[in-house]
Amino acid sequence: MSAHNHNGSTANAAPNDAHSQHNEPGAAESGMPDSQQPHDGHPQQGGGGHGDHVASFRRMFWIMLVVAVPVDAFSPMFAMLLGYELPASWMVWISPVLGTVMYVWGGAPFLTGAVSEVRSKQPGMMLLIGLAITVAFVASWGATLGVLDHGLDFWWELALLIVIMLLGHWIEMRSLAQTTSALDSLAALIPDEAERVDGDQTVTVSPSELRVGDVVVVRPGGRVPADGRVVQGSASMDESMITGESRAVRRSEGDSVVAGTVATDSGMRVEITAVGDDTTLAGIQKLVTEAQSSSSRAQRLADRAAGWLFWFALGAGAITALVWTLLGMPDAAVVRTITVLVIACPHALGLAIPLVASISTERAAKAGVLIKDRLALESMRTVDTVLFDKTGTLTKGTPAVTAIEPTEGFEADELLALAAAAEADSEHPLARAIVAAARERELSVPKSSDFESSPAVGVRTRVADRTVQVGGPYLLEQEGGAELPATAEWAEQGAIILHILIDGRVAGALKLADEVRAESRDAIAALHDRGVQVVMITGDAEAVAASVAEELGIDRYFAGVRPEDKALNVKELQAEGRKVAMVGDGVNDAPALAQADVGIAIGAGTDVAIASAGVILASDDPRSVVSVIELSRASYRKMKQNLWWAAGYNLLSVPLAAGVLAPIGFVLPMSVGAVLMSISTIVVALNAQLLRRLDLNPEKFTGR
């Protein structure tokens, strides 16, 4: 099939050779290392970020679980609680020895984290855990050696505490683990090699060796290695990975091209005008880096709760020691104080947030929503503004026939069938759109022959005994035809307009536009129902943006936005005091996704967009944004409930352990404290499981 061009007229672009045969570029490969900053409050387990945390906590959990069995089984206090005796006296040393191993090895992450929290003067979960296991360790050795009361033998409690906390943090790290890297995905857009012109020959070099003024050859299907200017040839350039816009753009001599874009149909020579950090792609990389590094990482609920409980436990312990000492019972002061400090760290608190996070991410995944950043999910409940990219997000990103205007003597279906016959063998997006429209209407498409194409004009073919021509404004100019009156409104809307001529006479016109997703209307209506403002951002002209915004009922929009400026529009909304969720799919959306309070990427989009977002929609259904909001709200409710259950244990048990009811003869035994601790953990676990009943089907929330 020969290359050809219709070049339909648009409201925002000059006629260009955009309707030519082309090859689809292969998707850029991307590396998958984790690039997240260390999890706040957690010590580093190597240099690999969350990925290393997951492996470290998983491995350590299973080892400590095995070691904990003999520690508990041979603990004299545990044996007394369950009513059995140790068969040999030497067995009493098994728990101290193995318990010490657990404290030094299994407790190391928490002790390291506790030191970090002390240095940063931000007490949290790690310090609370570190305090509990250290006091339990010292008290247990004191009881074992006979220095302290035998009732302070906490080896079994120390083992259980370490195991459960390792389990909780393993779950937490797994929910936070990242799978892609935005910056690596951006770098993957640059080809590994470039063909530099050296006299009459070409030399293969690395793109890093290119200098301003060099001339390189870009072959059909190849990527531009650096920003430059076309000096020979022309090609339809796929710039979607940079602009997010699906339509190929014709670049000829004198036109600028951007690193990472693809010449789809023909080769050309490009003079390099920018290299390294001066390229457009490097600029986007910089913006992504800046936005990610400037994003505030809100302190987690569990960390705040743990911080409060640390001071509560420390204060309760100090008061307990002082009161019992003043009462003239120093031995009781030691026992009561140690008991308070040990049971002040509830097992439930270690699982309260991780369990909810794990179950919510699992439920989301089954609904086609991938949660990469738990903080993004937590923040989604507070979002009051959703900023949608237009092309590929609210729209399908591909042209579709949206209207047919026949002249007198012709029927709409007849015109569409004839146009489809002329385009039957073409692979161009506009041609495919016309053929697809005929197929959807179940039209009978006749056979064609004698196909001819003319660049920047259109196509000509014979259908039966009639000559059929399809093309843009240059076709009308060549044939002396006039545009139909109805097309004036189409042009104002920024649509592509193709005229159909039968035997030299204008028989009608086709309106082709980026088709709005049917689900977009439902998504926007559902967001409005929840009090969320909807904003659209696009690089298209004002007319195109206004048309789509009016059709979908969008509150406001930004039109004609350059790729590098999208993040600025996000900042503008944030400066208004809005909590912004950005939904996009292209490389050009990456800085905005990173800058937004919550970045949501369409799964069908580029690797870069996906990597820059905290939430990824596996489908292209914008209604899934509503599902994310509902999941965030439900998860937050469960987190609060679990924290109250976990903290409730402390509010009840700590005063009792301190001896507030001692005047009436009741002091909380350690064994009862352990039972309360277990009940609290069970309640938290069961409450988190209720999240599994949440239905995240978008149709449920939109009611459509």
Side-chain angles (χ1 to χ4, degrees):
M1 185 74 186
S2 303
H4 66 284
N5 179 282
H6 295 351
N7 191 45
S9 61
T10 69
N12 64 318
N16 57 64
D17 190 16
H19 190 175
S20 55
Q21 184 178 353
H22 65 288
N23 300 315
E24 294 294 334
E29 297 180 357
S30 65
M32 298 177 61
D34 180 38
S35 63
Q36 283 293 317
Q37 294 299 315
H39 175 35
D40 294 345
H42 297 289
Q44 287 294 297
Q45 301 294 313
H50 291 307
D52 283 348
H53 274 301
V54 175
S56 176
F57 277 109
R58 180 180 65 247
R59 181 175 60 254
M60 194 171 294
F61 164 74
W62 287 112
I63 294 174
M64 292 300 106
L65 180 62
V66 173
V67 177
V69 173
V71 172
D72 285 2
F74 294 101
S75 170
M77 181 61 67
F78 191 77
M80 184 182 69
L81 291 174
L82 296 186
Y84 66 88
E85 294 183 0
L86 300 180
S89 60
W90 62 268
M91 291 182 178
V92 299
W93 293 101
I94 294 177
S95 292
V97 172
L98 295 181
T100 300
V101 172
M102 292 192 69
Y103 174 77
V104 174
W105 189 6
F110 309 110
L111 296 173
T112 305
V115 172
S116 298
E117 290 181 354
V118 170
R119 288 175 176 173
S120 64
K121 299 179 181 179
Q122 293 182 336
M125 177 66 77
M126 302 306 250
L127 186 56
L128 187 59
I129 298 172
L131 174 67
I133 64 176
T134 299
V135 173
F137 175 74
V138 173
S140 297
W141 264 115
T144 300
L145 297 175
V147 178
L148 298 175
D149 188 278
H150 72 90
L152 297 177
D153 180 352
F154 294 144
W155 290 118
W156 65 279
E157 175 62 22
L158 172 67
L160 289 177
L161 187 59
I162 289 175
V163 167
I164 291 178
M165 289 305 167
L166 284 173
L167 174 62
H169 282 75
W170 170 25
I171 295 172
E172 184 180 21
M173 291 299 102
R174 187 176 61 180
S175 72
L176 291 169
Q178 302 290 316
T179 59
T180 56
S181 168
L183 299 181
D184 284 351
S185 297
L186 283 168
L189 294 178
I190 301 296
D192 295 330
E193 297 179 340
E195 293 186 64
R196 184 176 62 197
V197 177
D198 188 2
D200 297 332
Q201 299 180 334
T202 60
V203 180
T204 301
V205 299
S206 169
S208 61
E209 298 178 36
L210 295 175
R211 299 292 181 263
V212 174
D214 287 346
V215 176
V216 296
V217 175
V218 181
R219 302 189 183 278
R223 293 186 182 273
V224 179
D227 289 3
R229 178 176 56 86
V230 180
V231 294
Q232 183 179 336
S234 66
S236 290
M237 303 299 297
D238 179 1
E239 300 179 348
S240 60
M241 67 291 298
I242 301 296
T243 66
E245 307 302 320
S246 60
R247 188 188 308 170
V249 179
R250 197 71 185 177
R251 300 301 185 192
S252 304
E253 291 185 18
D255 293 336
S256 297
V257 290
V258 177
T261 57
V262 180
T264 63
D265 60 346
S266 59
M268 59 185 182
R269 294 195 174 193
V270 176
E271 181 184 352
I272 303 302
T273 58
V275 295
D277 294 340
D278 297 327
T279 63
T280 300
L281 199 60
I284 295 176
Q285 285 181 301
K286 182 181 179 182
L287 289 171
V288 172
T289 302
E290 290 177 350
Q292 287 180 332
S293 63
S294 64
S295 296
S296 61
R297 298 184 64 83
Q299 194 171 16
R300 293 179 180 82
L301 288 173
D303 286 337
R304 292 204 301 270
W308 298 332
L309 289 175
F310 169 77
W311 292 114
F312 173 70
L314 207 60
I319 294 172
T320 300
L322 178 63
V323 171
W324 284 98
T325 300
L326 292 176
L327 292 175
M329 292 181 281
D331 292 342
V334 174
V335 172
R336 292 292 99 207
T337 301
I338 292 175
T339 302
V340 165
L341 294 176
V342 171
I343 70 172
C345 180
H347 299 57
L349 189 60
L351 294 175
I353 299 301
L355 272 177
V356 173
S358 180
I359 294 173
S360 60
T361 52
E362 177 190 336
R363 293 297 304 150
K366 290 182 177 180
V369 179
L370 175 61
I371 307 299
K372 287 178 52 189
D373 184 356
R374 188 173 51 132
L375 290 177
L377 177 61
E378 293 176 4
S379 301
M380 198 64 191
R381 66 182 179 84
T382 63
V383 164
D384 56 18
T385 303
V386 176
L387 178 64
F388 284 100
D389 172 56
K390 180 185 78 69
T391 305
T393 304
L394 293 176
T395 65
K396 293 184 177 181
T398 56
V401 177
T402 58
I404 305 172
E405 181 69 20
T407 59
E408 186 178 354
F410 295 94
E411 299 291 334
D413 286 351
E414 177 188 10
L415 281 179
L416 183 59
L418 290 171
E423 301 283 13
D425 297 326
S426 174
E427 293 297 322
H428 191 276
L430 296 183
R432 290 200 299 265
I434 294 171
V435 174
R439 188 182 302 114
E440 290 174 3
R441 297 191 180 204
E442 298 182 350
L443 302 179
S444 177
V445 179
K447 297 290 184 180
S448 63
S449 61
D450 301 330
F451 176 85
E452 297 178 10
S453 69
S454 179
V457 177
V459 299
R460 176 195 299 265
T461 190
R462 293 284 296 178
V463 179
D465 58 346
R466 294 186 289 184
T467 299
V468 180
Q469 295 171 275
V470 183
Y474 288 159
L475 175 63
L476 292 180
E477 182 179 332
Q478 178 178 289
E479 298 295 330
E483 293 186 355
L484 299 182
T487 63
E489 183 180 352
W490 296 354
E492 292 178 357
Q493 298 171 355
I496 299 172
I497 302 169
L498 298 177
H499 282 83
I500 304 170
L501 278 66
I502 308 296
D503 295 330
R505 172 193 168 192
V506 178
L510 301 177
K511 175 187 178 184
L512 292 95
D514 190 2
E515 186 176 7
V516 173
R517 298 186 189 277
E519 303 86 1
S520 295
R521 297 179 181 85
D522 295 341
I524 291 168
L527 289 170
H528 284 159
D529 291 342
R530 288 159 176 77
V532 178
Q533 185 181 77
V534 180
V535 186
M536 182 181 73
I537 189 167
T538 178
D540 287 345
E542 175 80 16
V544 179
S547 176
V548 175
E550 182 180 0
E551 182 177 354
L552 294 177
I554 290 171
D555 299 303
R556 58 193 285 196
Y557 60 86
F558 299 105
V561 181
R562 295 171 57 86
E564 62 268 25
D565 293 336
K566 285 191 175 184
L568 296 178
N569 290 115
V570 175
K571 290 181 180 180
E572 180 181 334
L573 292 171
Q574 291 172 328
E576 297 175 6
R578 299 186 176 277
K579 295 292 184 180
V580 181
M582 167 73 187
V583 187
D585 66 333
V587 173
N588 63 309
D589 299 320
L593 289 168
Q595 175 62 44
D597 297 280
V598 181
I600 303 175
I602 299 293
T606 66
D607 289 340
V608 181
I610 292 173
S612 302
V615 179
I616 300 153
L617 307 181
S619 72
D620 53 13
D621 189 344
R623 297 178 301 178
S624 296
V625 175
V626 183
S627 300
V628 178
I629 293 176
E630 293 296 329
L631 176 62
S632 176
R633 293 175 177 178
S635 299
Y636 184 73
R637 286 195 298 269
K638 290 301 176 189
M639 288 179 183
K640 286 201 304 182
Q641 292 167 5
N642 278 0
L643 286 175
W644 274 113
W645 274 109
Y649 158 82
N650 280 64
L651 297 176
L652 175 65
S653 62
V654 169
L656 292 178
V660 293
L661 296 183
I664 62 174
F666 178 81
V667 178
L668 181 70
M670 184 61 208
S671 57
V672 177
V675 172
L676 290 175
M677 191 180 296
S678 300
I679 293 174
S680 178
T681 303
I682 293 171
V683 170
V684 165
L686 292 176
N687 189 47
Q689 296 300 320
L690 294 177
L691 271 176
R692 299 186 185 278
R693 301 165 57 183
L694 182 64
D695 185 2
L696 295 178
N697 187 335
E699 296 180 358
K700 176 180 181 295
F701 298 118
T702 59
R704 296 165 176 85

